[in-house]
Amino acid sequence: MNHIFISHNPFTVYTEFKINDKEPAKGCTLLRNQENRLQLWIEKLFDELRELFNGDENYEITFRGVETDYLDLQESAHKAEKALVKFQWKEVASAEHRLEEMRMIWEEVAQHPKMSEHATNNHTARTNVEAAFNKDFDVYVVATMSSGKSTLINAMLGTSLLPAANEATTATIARITDNDQMKDKGFNAKRFNHSGQELDTENNVAATTLETWNKDTNTFRIELEGDIKAIRERDNVRLVLTDTPGPNNSQDAEHSKTTMKHIMDSTRNPMILYILNGTQLGIQDDKNLLNMIAEAMSKGGKQSKDRFIFVVSKMDAFDPEKESIPNALARIRQYLQDNGISEPAIYPVSAEFTRLLRLPSKELSFKESRALGDFIATAEAFEAVHFTQYMQLTKRIQHNLAEKIAGGQLCKNEISSGLPAVEAMIDEYIDKYNLPHRVKRVHDALQSVIDTALNEAELTASLERNEDDLQQIQAQIHSLEAKKAKGFDALAFKERLKQEREDLPIEILEKMEAQTRQIGNALRKFSESFQEKKDVNSAKNIVKNIARELQQLHTSSTATYENIFEFSQSTIKTKLDKAYENFVISIFDEFDKIQFPTLEKLQKSISSFSNNLNLEIEDRDIKTESVKVGSRTISTSTWYKPWTWGDEKEIPILEDKEFVYLQEYWKKSLIDIEEKFRSLQNEAEKEISSGHTKIIDNMIEFMNHDFDKKFEALLQSIKETIACGEEKEKEITSAKKLLKDIYSIKEKIKNILSIQSI
């Protein structure tokens, strides 16, 4: 039996492998995974092991790491059908308390008399720390119309607060922030217009008020705050549940674009609850959205799959005596697979059952009380409507649900409704991804600040030398000053920057070309719907459907270009940071690296792009033709031709009807459509190129004005320290103390992030 040891640290994102108690040989495929998050490679692990051991699949695996990663390892083995795998888990401390300890370390650094300056000046580090300590965790609820989305959110809130109207009439975003301190105090609400101006505020808001706000065309966003009972209370995480209008909602294209950007966001990886109406599959809008989700899920390993939860709503509509729920779920699973989502995990729920169970009995109407009684009776009579049995739940979630039943937090009927399992999935995602990622962000920020302070302290401490050494250092300083006077490599560096500002990086161009191809393929596919002639009503329906799809294509393309813009900004900043670092090292690698000034993120929106894609059948597109609508029989005999007596023939009854030749119509319309998309592409390229150029211009501006000053200040500081005997001793003593403090902090961080077994 082959023994494999895996130690995965999700906080530093490093994995240690051992095979039969030995380090893997250089070039071993496992080593490619060492610096990647476990969820990016775990699904391929057993294929790599099979190849590594020439088909021998008899393993004993010891895993050291957090519980959620261990469960992913077990799940991967189960999917690979490895019956001969034996597991041993060496448990380590969770992420939650580590984050709090890292907060204390950051506060220590921020208050330190010497290191605080580096923490203040390092804008990137401060931004990352603020983001890491921001407790908000986003879950976006996405669906097309009539999916039961409002009912599901109300069930999670334990209220009847959100208006359960037809989704097509809802064009506002409702952002609901969890506040456990507001238990039993209702929800406070604010509403905002498109400019972000607050229009109204109301404490313990009533459902009727929200319904009025929602119908007001001036309302762009509603923010609610209150206790979301369904999610586990945590010190370091605050759930933010966002009810998004469906992308098929034509009332506000900006909302649609926002929803699409959440789906495509593979950097922040927000969680998406996608609601499917179990009774109405196959709506075209649904397919368009699912295709986008399928593409997002295919790009980022297991996390990209885990962040999408497919909730099948309205399962109470199925009659367990007449319909097979497993067969219905199989159809839904096949529907998702047909739309590009491989091995979808689906979660059937009756949100209405959950909602009624969680409402205080005094708030139930007569009709709701009867409905609740029917739900309970059905659940007690039919095992088939215990929806949790159809879900792929980890042992950890099953254990947590069982604990809640034992502790009286949930009843068995509530578990049967399915929604508590979905809520437990959200909890697990937070443990698995959100908290470790935040710990790593704080670590990276601290490391950046500490490295800068460390370099400075080591440089000063290194001046504790004899006179001969100091004279050599002075000589090196004079040499650097001479190089500076000649411009050393700065001119060449600036020239290279000027050259690079003219061309976008190849990876940006590839993304833009891919989007251009996607638009072209979509337009060609649309052309297939315009091949025949149709009567006017049929033609109008076809055009109406295609117009809606074109609108969605335009909106999704706009969102994609905005994502490319952000990716472009990040890419060029990373490249410039590296180029600048190499430039500095090439000049004086023994001196402190000059901190590159953080470039402010350029966020010029592409929301102004035209999305006015009006497709309508006009009078000039309608042709009139005589068509046969029936026939009648007439006599063809003549009196003077006896042999023709009794002869008859059928003659057509003609009627003028109006038709649309769709191919001709599409050919004419396509010119305008292609021009609109071409305009969008050109505007996007212009904005992306402009943003790219501005960042490089900022770098050139820094090199032209600030670099020389920083360079001169550094050299002058060293010269002064060397020259002043008493002052030098003070500086060196201070530097030694700083080094001691830094090493103490580094040791604390090391201990916090270690994954020694509990």
Side-chain angles (χ1 to χ4, degrees):
M1 179 180 290
N2 293 299
H3 182 265
I4 299 122
F5 173 76
I6 303 173
S7 176
H8 178 71
N9 189 327
F11 314 113
T12 59
V13 190
Y14 185 81
T15 306
E16 176 188 357
F17 295 97
K18 284 188 180 178
I19 300 173
N20 297 323
D21 298 323
K22 295 181 180 179
E23 300 286 340
K26 188 177 181 180
C28 175
T29 54
L30 294 180
L31 296 180
R32 293 182 305 199
N33 302 323
Q34 276 191 313
E35 297 183 4
N36 291 322
R37 190 168 294 283
L38 177 138
Q39 281 72 27
L40 292 176
W41 50 264
I42 192 65
E43 293 178 305
K44 300 177 182 177
L45 174 65
F46 289 95
D47 291 334
E48 294 178 347
L49 291 178
R50 186 188 304 114
E51 184 176 339
L52 186 63
F53 295 115
N54 297 315
D56 183 357
E57 297 181 294
N58 195 357
Y59 314 128
E60 183 178 343
I61 297 179
T62 299
F63 180 82
R64 184 172 66 197
V66 297
E67 182 182 16
T68 50
D69 289 342
Y70 174 60
L71 293 173
D72 277 348
L73 173 64
Q74 286 187 312
E75 182 186 352
S76 179
H78 176 72
K79 286 184 177 179
E81 299 178 347
K82 298 293 171 289
L84 299 178
V85 177
K86 293 182 179 179
F87 288 104
Q88 182 183 358
W89 175 39
K90 294 188 175 182
E91 185 179 0
V92 302
S94 66
E96 200 156 3
H97 85 279
R98 297 177 194 257
L99 184 61
E100 192 56 39
E101 289 182 320
M102 292 295 280
R103 182 196 302 275
M104 295 170 64
I105 295 293
W106 176 259
E107 289 175 355
E108 182 179 346
V109 168
Q111 295 170 11
H112 192 279
K114 290 289 186 181
M115 282 186 281
S116 59
E117 182 181 349
H118 296 285
T120 300
N121 293 337
N122 193 327
H123 179 75
T124 301
R126 284 191 291 108
T127 300
N128 285 333
V129 167
E130 288 169 5
F133 291 143
N134 182 349
K135 298 195 298 183
D136 291 351
F137 173 70
D138 288 309
V139 176
Y140 295 97
V141 187
V142 178
T144 54
M145 67 177 65
S146 304
S147 63
K149 177 160 60 80
S150 297
T151 302
L152 184 138
I153 294 175
N154 279 332
M156 293 182 70
L157 301 182
T159 71
S160 299
L161 199 57
L162 297 187
N166 188 312
E167 310 293 342
T169 66
T170 303
T172 60
I173 290 177
R175 191 172 186 268
I176 309 156
T177 301
D178 187 21
N179 185 341
D180 297 317
Q181 305 302 313
M182 293 180 62
K183 187 175 182 180
D184 300 325
K185 295 180 181 178
F187 283 79
N188 297 339
K190 296 179 180 179
R191 75 176 180 117
F192 301 84
N193 61 17
H194 286 69
S195 302
Q197 179 185 3
E198 184 179 316
L199 301 177
D200 284 296
T201 181
E202 185 170 321
N203 292 338
N204 194 13
V205 69
T208 51
T209 300
L210 290 183
E211 187 171 2
T212 301
W213 288 1
N214 187 62
K215 292 177 180 178
D216 191 330
T217 55
N218 290 325
T219 305
F220 180 78
R221 185 178 76 255
I222 296 173
E223 292 191 357
L224 298 165
E225 184 176 7
D227 180 27
I228 301 178
K229 300 178 177 64
I231 303 301
R232 177 161 65 91
E233 184 176 343
R234 302 166 187 265
D235 291 332
N236 290 302
V237 181
R238 179 174 62 185
L239 178 70
V240 179
L241 195 65
T242 301
D243 176 13
T244 60
N248 57 317
N249 192 304
S250 60
Q251 296 186 48
D252 199 315
E254 186 65 25
H255 281 330
S256 297
K257 185 181 68 177
T258 300
T259 301
M260 291 173 181
K261 288 190 72 175
H262 295 324
I263 290 171
M264 294 187 287
D265 188 350
S266 58
T267 301
R268 301 170 187 85
N269 287 308
M271 198 169 199
I272 307 292
L273 287 188
Y274 186 85
I275 315 301
L276 288 152
N277 184 339
T279 64
Q280 293 181 6
L281 293 178
I283 299 171
Q284 187 61 36
D285 291 328
D286 211 33
K287 292 183 178 181
N288 292 335
L289 193 54
L290 287 173
N291 290 335
M292 183 182 298
I293 290 174
E295 184 179 357
M297 291 178 69
S298 68
K299 290 182 177 178
K302 184 171 173 53
Q303 182 174 5
S304 290
K305 298 175 183 176
D306 286 351
R307 77 183 185 94
F308 290 94
I309 295 181
F310 296 98
V311 180
V312 184
S313 68
K314 302 189 179 183
M315 289 303 298
D316 48 85
F318 290 90
D319 186 341
E321 290 186 286
K322 297 180 179 179
E323 298 172 279
S324 167
I325 291 177
N327 288 347
L329 295 177
R331 290 194 299 272
I332 293 167
R333 185 172 287 105
Q334 186 61 51
Y335 170 71
L336 291 173
Q337 289 175 335
D338 291 343
N339 282 278
I341 298 170
S342 61
E343 300 181 2
I346 60 177
Y347 300 87
V349 304
S350 171
E352 179 66 359
F353 189 14
T354 317
R355 184 183 74 86
L356 295 178
L357 282 167
R358 289 177 176 176
L359 281 175
S361 57
K362 63 182 180 181
E363 293 184 16
L364 294 173
S365 67
F366 175 76
K367 185 176 181 181
E368 287 175 329
S369 295
R370 289 192 60 180
L372 178 57
D374 290 342
F375 280 136
I376 293 173
T378 304
E380 291 176 351
F382 298 97
E383 184 69 24
V385 297
H386 295 187
F387 299 122
T388 308
Q389 66 182 297
Y390 307 111
M391 302 179 181
Q392 299 175 17
L393 302 178
T394 64
K395 292 180 180 178
R396 185 170 185 251
I397 288 180
Q398 293 173 17
H399 176 71
N400 288 344
L401 292 176
E403 275 191 338
K404 287 184 177 181
I405 291 178
Q409 296 140 292
L410 292 173
C411 66
K412 289 185 178 180
N413 282 330
E414 207 169 334
I415 295 289
S416 296
S417 73
L419 189 56
V422 173
E423 294 159 347
M425 290 285 294
I426 296 173
D427 269 328
E428 185 169 72
Y429 186 91
I430 291 170
D431 286 339
K432 187 185 294 186
Y433 300 111
N434 180 259
L435 288 169
H437 176 66
R438 288 166 61 190
V439 171
K440 186 177 187 306
R441 289 190 78 168
V442 181
H443 166 260
D444 291 347
L446 276 168
Q447 199 63 48
S448 172
V449 171
I450 288 171
D451 284 347
T452 306
L454 186 64
N455 288 338
E456 181 183 275
E458 287 179 340
L459 178 60
T460 303
S462 71
L463 297 178
E464 188 181 34
R465 298 171 180 272
N466 59 38
E467 290 301 319
D468 289 341
D469 290 340
L470 292 177
Q471 286 180 4
Q472 283 188 334
I473 292 173
Q474 284 183 324
Q476 290 176 348
I477 291 172
H478 290 313
S479 174
L480 283 172
E481 287 181 318
K483 289 176 70 176
K484 172 182 170 295
K486 295 179 180 179
F488 38 77
D489 296 327
L491 292 176
F493 180 59
K494 284 188 278 188
E495 286 302 315
R496 195 177 77 178
L497 289 176
K498 290 177 182 176
Q499 186 174 355
E500 288 185 359
R501 76 190 293 277
E502 304 301 326
D503 300 309
L504 286 172
I506 185 66
E507 54 266 50
I508 307 301
L509 293 174
E510 287 175 350
K511 284 181 176 291
M512 295 184 69
E513 288 171 3
Q515 181 58 26
T516 300
R517 286 195 300 273
Q518 184 173 338
I519 292 171
N521 291 338
L523 294 181
R524 281 189 289 275
K525 185 177 179 181
F526 292 150
S527 298
E528 296 172 5
S529 301
F530 291 87
Q531 297 300 314
E532 304 173 1
K533 74 174 184 180
K534 295 284 185 181
D535 64 81
V536 175
N537 287 335
S538 297
K540 285 184 176 181
N541 285 333
I542 291 172
V543 169
K544 180 181 177 181
N545 290 334
I546 294 296
R548 186 171 63 245
E549 291 189 50
L550 279 168
Q551 182 67 59
Q552 288 192 357
L553 176 64
H554 196 281
T555 303
S556 66
S557 297
T558 303
T560 299
Y561 284 129
E562 287 192 6
N563 282 346
I564 294 174
F565 178 85
E566 293 177 6
F567 177 78
S568 170
Q569 297 280 283
S570 174
T571 299
I572 189 60
K573 286 177 185 177
T574 301
K575 286 189 173 184
L576 287 178
D577 273 336
K578 188 63 179 175
Y580 179 76
E581 182 180 356
N582 292 336
F583 163 68
V584 172
I585 290 173
S586 71
I587 298 170
F588 45 93
D589 56 4
E590 75 272 28
F591 292 99
D592 182 26
K593 296 174 186 176
I594 298 175
Q595 186 182 344
F596 179 70
T598 304
L599 297 168
E600 293 299 323
K601 185 178 180 181
L602 301 174
Q603 297 210 13
K604 187 171 182 180
S605 174
I606 313 178
S607 60
S608 59
F609 291 168
S610 168
N611 57 11
N612 182 24
L613 291 169
N614 291 322
L615 279 178
E616 295 180 357
I617 297 292
E618 299 176 2
D619 290 343
R620 59 180 177 170
D621 299 310
I622 300 173
K623 311 295 183 185
T624 300
E625 294 182 3
S626 292
V627 295
K628 179 180 177 181
V629 295
S631 62
R632 60 189 178 91
T633 304
I634 62 171
S635 173
T636 59
S637 63
T638 55
W639 66 271
Y640 55 85
K641 295 180 180 178
W643 61 88
T644 65
W645 292 354
D647 286 354
E648 297 177 334
K649 74 172 182 178
E650 296 285 327
I651 63 171
I653 299 174
L654 299 179
E655 185 176 297
D656 287 345
K657 283 202 169 184
E658 295 178 327
F659 289 93
V660 175
Y661 285 87
L662 288 175
Q663 189 172 31
E664 181 181 329
Y665 168 78
W666 177 250
K667 185 177 180 181
K668 176 197 68 177
S669 301
L670 189 58
I671 297 172
D672 181 55
I673 293 169
E674 287 180 330
E675 178 56 35
K676 288 184 182 298
F677 277 100
R678 195 177 300 113
S679 174
L680 172 63
Q681 294 163 4
N682 291 339
E683 287 296 319
E685 184 173 354
K686 186 189 302 181
E687 290 298 323
I688 292 166
S689 297
S690 174
H692 167 87
T693 301
K694 285 177 182 176
I695 286 184
I696 295 181
D697 285 346
N698 280 358
M699 179 64 157
I700 294 173
E701 181 71 11
F702 166 73
M703 292 300 300
N704 285 335
H705 296 93
D706 293 343
F707 178 79
D708 283 350
K709 294 177 183 177
K710 287 181 176 288
F711 188 88
E712 183 63 39
L714 175 64
L715 298 189
Q716 188 62 30
S717 173
I718 299 172
K719 286 165 66 177
E720 289 174 357
T721 303
I722 293 174
C724 303
E726 185 177 340
E727 191 64 30
K728 180 182 74 173
E729 294 303 322
K730 287 182 180 179
E731 290 289 333
I732 291 173
T733 301
S734 177
K736 286 182 176 179
K737 183 180 184 308
L738 177 57
L739 285 174
K740 184 179 178 180
D741 292 345
I742 290 173
Y743 290 134
S744 172
I745 289 173
K746 286 173 71 74
E747 187 64 24
K748 290 178 185 177
I749 294 173
K750 180 181 176 182
N751 291 335
I752 292 172
L753 298 184
S754 69
I755 56 166
Q756 297 305 311
S757 305
I758 294 176

